[in-house]
Amino acid sequence: MTAVSSTIYLVPIIAACGLLFTIVILGFMHPRVTGAKATAVLALSVSLWQVGYLLELISPDLPQKVFWDKVQWIPILLMSLAAFKLGLIFNTPHSRIWLLPLTIPPLLFCLRLFMDSEQSLIYPAPMLLENPPFSALFYDFTPLLAAALAYVYLLVGGALLLLARAFFRTRRRERIRIGFIFGGLALGAALHLILTTFEVPLLGQRDVSPLACTPGALVIAWGVWRYRLFDLIPVANGKLFESMSDAVVILDADSRIIELNAVARSWAKTSVQPIGQPVETVIPDWKAKFDRYRNAVNVETEIRITDYGASRFINFRIEPIRNARGDLVGRLVVARDITQSAMLLERLRQNEERLRIITDNIHDMVAQIDQSGIILYASPSFYKGLGYKPDRLVGRVGFDLIYPEDIPQMREWFEAFIVHGTPRSYITFRCQHADGHLVWLEASGTMAYDRAGQAGGIIAIFRDVSERIELERAQLEQERLKVTLQKEKELSELKNRMMVRIGHEFRTPLAVIQTSSYLLENYLESYTAEQRRAKIQLIHDEIQQISAMLDAISDVVANRLTRQSLQLEPVSLEALCALTVDAIRTTNGAKRAVTLETHGSPTVFGDYAALQSAVNHVLKNAVQYSRNGNSVQVTLSEQEGEAIIQVRDEGIGIPADEQHRVFEPFFRGTNIGESGGLGLGLTIAQAAVIAHHGRIMVESDVNQGTTFTIRLPALSGKQTPIPHP
């Protein structure tokens, strides 16, 4: 046996050990990732199993080979326990309690294994078979070995059942990761079973089961870390944590500050480093609530604090933080300044109270007035209503009490009564109170007849409606406040949607940047120059993608796309649509057919870049939400002085109750799932079309398809469009 041939036989085992040790290192470097430690232990077990197998191969005599074969049982049993631990992690927070009893049989077997000095129970009559380049150990399986192997398969099978149970009880993102772990365990178990059952030789040796578990361990590791994105989520969470508009404080179990964001730091009233300090020391305004809810677990309440003489209302929420075992290890405190909302609600309450008081104190006044307008009778309620005693009113001309500006309309109302007997039912006017202030009255009346049946004037009923006028004004104010409050809620929802979409869309490019940077930093020397340029170009591309998303957000927020911002020139829509469709075809490949049908070649006076952006966004939407194999059709025509661009797809459609919201920033339909996108494309498209004095409309049926129609004013004369690349 030459050194070269020995090396060739050992290379696969050594390479597999190297890969597995990489998984072990990653597992212990990322302990916060669910399943990381268990995966690391599993990979460590398989690698130690391979090391034991390697030492067995190179051992020259029978006793040493038997010893190292015994040693391999320790990592085999540990591997099965780690596999079962993976299944428990995704099903219960108390995995340690379930796992402890299962370790007893492996411990007893290992003790019996190394105490069997005669090797009668486990290794009866072992022998060496000469099979170059290494001699192979051969022995018969005893019942005890068969029981140990059955126990291993029982634990792995239980892990597969637990993972299958978790797969159907968790969300989609976790399903992908659990599916990888399930597939890795199943792959390793299947390969081991096939190779050991049929005694498939590898490199001339009898036992290849250690290598059989390596692919499964690699699949499991991919599932654990690929869908946790390494350290990206903690970094992204840190960015979101600092940018939140609410004050957020993380406390340990003793109410000491572990972390707080910028808003919470601005509320702190101490120059001492807040980390590690009791929260009531750093933010004294919270002391009363913490004293009251110190032992509470989940609380939401409001507090009122006074800061430099001004009152502030704070929405105060305390939520528990638990570890994987379900033990309380800390609290999350979120405080939001709701002063403006609370003041609006208080003003609404005051208005409602005012309305109640008004409705409880309304009294009518009754008067008899002859045909010349002289008051013949006044009810006692005039004193309370206008401050005049009835005897002071009788004999006076009623018009003398009316505010001068309202006299003409009152004469018209009165004369209609006298002449026709059919005046307007009600009239509202102002009357002077005895103390000089004006009172709003509402008048209604009926004809008064004498005993002979002749018209002798009118019976008028006056109602003080000053409160009602005030009420109407209060209602207007209330409506204004409600509109303000609604706008504030909508703005808050928009901010939440924006943060969610930004966080979601930034994760992928940031993950690519993080991974590429890590690879360049740690494995720079192992890459060729071309590979380095590819990694750097990948980082540049992802940075440009992030920059493009930020530009889109900035344009929408700042409303930069206006008529004044356009660079107007004659634009050929036929050429524009052709270039846009070609670009989409290039990026889309053969997944969906994109066709262009033109009826004429309309020209518009507009900004080429803005119009191309609008068509591009609408077309991308159609392609993105069409099923593979379905076509997307773009039709260009001209009708009645308008250029018409229609984009029709056969995709998932838009629910009818959501179609009016598709152009809102960051809005995403309820039926699109987890597809990418910020939700700004149609917003930008609409802004561009409106800036060109055009219109954009949508028609859609769920699961049938969607049609977007863009109408733009067409140029009537023969003007040559400026060509664009």
Side-chain angles (χ1 to χ4, degrees):
M1 178 181 66
T2 65
V4 174
S5 61
S6 300
T7 303
I8 294 175
Y9 285 113
L10 297 179
V11 163
I13 301 175
I14 296 173
C17 287
L19 289 173
L20 292 170
F21 273 115
T22 302
I23 297 173
V24 173
I25 295 171
L26 287 173
F28 288 107
M29 285 176 61
H30 302 85
R32 293 170 60 186
V33 179
T34 305
K37 289 183 178 179
T39 303
V41 173
L42 188 145
L44 180 63
S45 304
V46 177
S47 63
L48 292 177
W49 183 7
Q50 293 185 0
V51 170
Y53 179 59
L54 182 66
L55 294 173
E56 177 192 333
L57 283 179
I58 64 177
S59 296
D61 53 31
L62 181 62
Q64 291 186 32
K65 284 186 178 290
V66 171
F67 172 77
W68 287 114
D69 195 80
K70 288 182 178 181
V71 170
Q72 292 174 55
W73 278 101
I74 298 175
I76 290 173
L77 293 167
L78 183 61
M79 176 195 67
S80 63
L81 290 171
F84 196 77
K85 171 76 171 179
L86 270 174
L88 289 174
I89 285 173
F90 291 99
N91 283 272
T92 174
H94 308 293
S95 58
R96 187 175 300 177
I97 298 175
W98 287 87
L99 194 64
L100 285 176
L102 299 176
T103 60
I104 296 175
L107 288 175
L108 295 176
F109 174 77
C110 290
L111 290 174
R112 190 68 188 89
L113 180 68
F114 286 96
M115 292 173 63
D116 184 24
S117 59
E118 301 297 330
Q119 301 181 13
S120 58
L121 292 176
I122 300 178
Y123 291 92
M127 64 181 66
L128 289 179
L129 297 178
E130 292 300 328
N131 194 5
F134 301 104
S135 58
L137 175 64
F138 181 83
Y139 54 86
D140 294 327
F141 259 54
T142 64
L144 189 57
L145 283 179
L149 189 59
Y151 189 77
V152 170
Y153 275 105
L154 182 64
L155 288 178
V156 174
L160 292 174
L161 290 176
L162 288 172
L163 289 171
R165 176 176 179 267
F167 181 86
F168 292 104
R169 297 179 61 182
T170 188
R171 57 187 180 181
R172 180 178 177 276
R173 182 184 179 88
E174 287 296 317
R175 282 186 179 184
I176 298 174
R177 186 154 61 126
I178 293 174
F180 269 95
I181 297 174
F182 180 92
L185 284 178
L187 177 63
L191 289 176
H192 181 271
L193 186 62
I194 292 171
L195 294 176
T196 54
T197 301
F198 296 100
E199 297 185 358
V200 178
L202 182 66
L203 307 178
Q205 305 305 314
R206 175 175 177 270
D207 189 6
V208 293
S209 52
L211 285 174
C213 295
T214 300
L218 293 176
V219 173
I220 292 172
W222 175 263
V224 170
W225 284 289
R226 165 62 179 83
Y227 291 97
R228 184 63 181 177
L229 303 179
F230 291 96
D231 289 328
L232 174 63
I233 287 181
V235 172
N237 287 342
K239 295 287 186 182
L240 293 175
F241 180 77
E242 283 298 317
S243 63
M244 289 180 66
S245 59
D246 298 337
V248 182
V249 181
I250 302 175
L251 308 176
D252 63 11
D254 297 323
S255 296
R256 293 189 299 266
I257 295 177
I258 301 300
E259 184 61 277
L260 69 169
N261 67 353
V263 177
R265 286 193 292 271
S266 69
W267 289 9
K269 296 184 177 179
T270 177
S271 57
V272 180
Q273 168 58 249
I275 304 301
Q277 300 294 324
V279 65
E280 56 264 35
T281 302
V282 179
I283 310 177
D285 295 326
W286 294 3
K287 184 178 187 305
K289 288 297 178 184
F290 266 88
D291 290 341
R292 181 177 179 182
Y293 299 111
R294 181 171 296 277
N295 297 321
V297 176
N298 204 329
V299 175
E300 183 168 1
T301 183
E302 292 182 8
I303 62 175
R304 180 175 181 177
I305 62 176
T306 302
D307 194 6
Y308 300 106
S311 294
R312 286 200 301 170
F313 296 87
I314 307 298
N315 178 272
F316 198 78
R317 189 169 75 251
I318 304 175
E319 296 181 1
I321 301 175
R322 300 184 184 276
N323 60 15
R325 297 189 298 273
D327 301 326
L328 182 68
V329 295
R331 291 178 175 85
L332 175 67
V333 182
V334 180
R336 174 177 295 180
D337 190 337
I338 58 170
T339 302
Q340 187 173 0
S341 299
M343 292 178 65
L344 289 173
L345 292 174
E346 177 63 17
R347 291 175 67 179
L348 289 174
R349 187 196 65 78
Q350 291 176 358
N351 285 339
E352 291 174 356
E353 179 66 13
R354 188 182 307 158
L355 296 179
R356 185 191 66 80
I357 295 174
I358 291 173
T359 55
D360 289 343
N361 294 275
I362 293 179
H363 301 280
D364 294 341
M365 295 165 280
V366 181
Q368 182 181 1
I369 305 172
D370 68 9
Q371 295 180 349
S372 59
I374 296 175
I375 299 174
L376 303 178
Y377 169 78
S379 66
S381 56
F382 273 93
Y383 183 76
K384 184 176 182 180
L386 293 176
Y388 298 103
K389 291 183 178 181
D391 57 349
R392 293 186 57 189
L393 294 176
V394 174
R396 294 185 60 178
V397 177
F399 295 109
D400 294 342
L401 304 176
I402 299 173
Y403 186 64
E405 293 182 2
D406 297 340
I407 290 177
Q409 64 170 342
M410 279 302 298
R411 285 191 180 277
E412 180 182 353
W413 178 81
F414 183 80
E415 290 170 359
F417 240 132
I418 299 302
V419 175
H420 305 289
T422 56
R424 289 182 296 173
S425 299
Y426 294 95
I427 185 170
T428 304
F429 62 99
R430 288 166 290 183
C431 191
Q432 292 180 338
H433 194 276
D435 62 10
H437 75 273
L438 296 177
V439 178
W440 282 93
L441 298 179
E442 181 181 72
S444 64
T446 184
M447 290 295 297
Y449 298 94
D450 58 16
R451 295 178 180 179
Q454 299 295 320
I458 64 171
I459 301 296
I461 301 174
F462 302 97
R463 175 173 297 174
D464 188 343
V465 292
S466 299
E467 290 85 356
R468 191 188 74 185
I469 299 297
E470 184 65 22
L471 172 62
E472 291 174 352
R473 292 175 177 172
Q475 288 175 334
L476 290 175
E477 175 67 9
Q478 186 177 9
E479 290 299 323
R480 188 187 67 80
L481 294 175
K482 286 182 179 179
V483 170
T484 303
L485 186 60
Q486 181 64 28
K487 287 183 178 179
E488 182 179 350
K489 290 181 179 178
E490 292 174 355
L491 181 60
S492 178
E493 292 175 359
L494 177 61
K495 289 180 179 178
N496 290 338
R497 292 205 308 267
M498 180 177 69
M499 294 305 295
V500 169
R501 291 314 310 164
I502 291 174
H504 179 79
E505 291 300 317
F506 278 24
R507 284 185 182 131
T508 300
L510 286 175
V512 173
I513 294 172
Q514 176 81 7
T515 304
S516 300
S517 302
Y518 174 84
L519 293 173
L520 288 174
E521 180 180 359
N522 294 277
Y523 304 98
L524 182 64
E525 300 299 328
S526 62
Y527 284 119
T528 64
E530 183 177 354
Q531 289 175 329
R532 294 174 191 168
R533 284 194 297 272
K535 292 293 182 184
I536 294 173
Q537 183 61 43
L538 182 60
I539 293 174
H540 288 170
D541 291 344
E542 297 303 327
I543 292 174
Q544 289 178 355
Q545 181 181 348
I546 293 174
S547 178
M549 287 190 288
L550 290 174
D551 289 341
I553 294 171
S554 178
D555 288 341
V556 171
V557 172
N559 193 23
R560 293 176 179 167
L561 197 54
T562 62
R563 184 72 176 178
Q564 292 73 22
S565 65
L566 301 180
Q567 307 246 343
L568 300 176
E569 59 187 15
V571 176
S572 170
L573 292 184
E574 182 180 11
L576 184 147
C577 290
L579 287 174
T580 306
V581 169
D582 287 342
I584 292 294
R585 286 172 180 163
T586 302
T587 57
N588 180 52
K591 295 181 179 179
R592 302 169 188 84
V594 182
T595 62
L596 173 62
E597 181 178 347
T598 60
H599 303 281
S601 181
T603 301
V604 299
F605 196 63
D607 187 305
Y608 183 92
L611 290 174
Q612 186 182 44
S613 175
V615 175
N616 186 58
H617 281 302
V618 174
L619 188 52
K620 276 186 177 179
N621 249 37
V623 171
Q624 182 174 358
Y625 299 115
S626 295
R627 300 177 181 89
N628 286 345
N630 289 349
S631 64
V632 175
Q633 183 177 2
V634 181
T635 305
L636 175 64
S637 61
E638 184 174 359
Q639 184 179 358
E640 297 179 357
E642 285 187 320
I644 302 173
I645 303 173
Q646 281 193 327
V647 179
R648 182 181 296 106
D649 65 64
E650 300 172 355
I652 62 176
I654 305 169
D657 59 345
E658 296 179 0
Q659 292 180 17
H660 68 285
R661 300 189 61 193
V662 296
F663 299 107
E664 293 180 9
F666 304 104
F667 176 77
R668 294 168 60 80
T670 56
N671 63 335
I672 66 174
E674 289 296 325
S675 61
L678 285 172
L680 293 177
L682 293 179
T683 305
I684 295 172
Q686 184 191 46
V689 172
I690 291 175
H692 286 83
H693 297 160
R695 295 169 292 160
I696 181 169
M697 295 153 287
V698 59
E699 297 176 14
S700 182
D701 292 313
V702 175
N703 295 325
Q704 298 297 319
T706 302
T707 300
F708 280 91
T709 303
I710 299 174
R711 291 178 174 268
L712 298 166
L715 286 178
S716 57
K718 294 288 185 178
Q719 298 192 42
T720 303
I722 297 176
H724 287 270

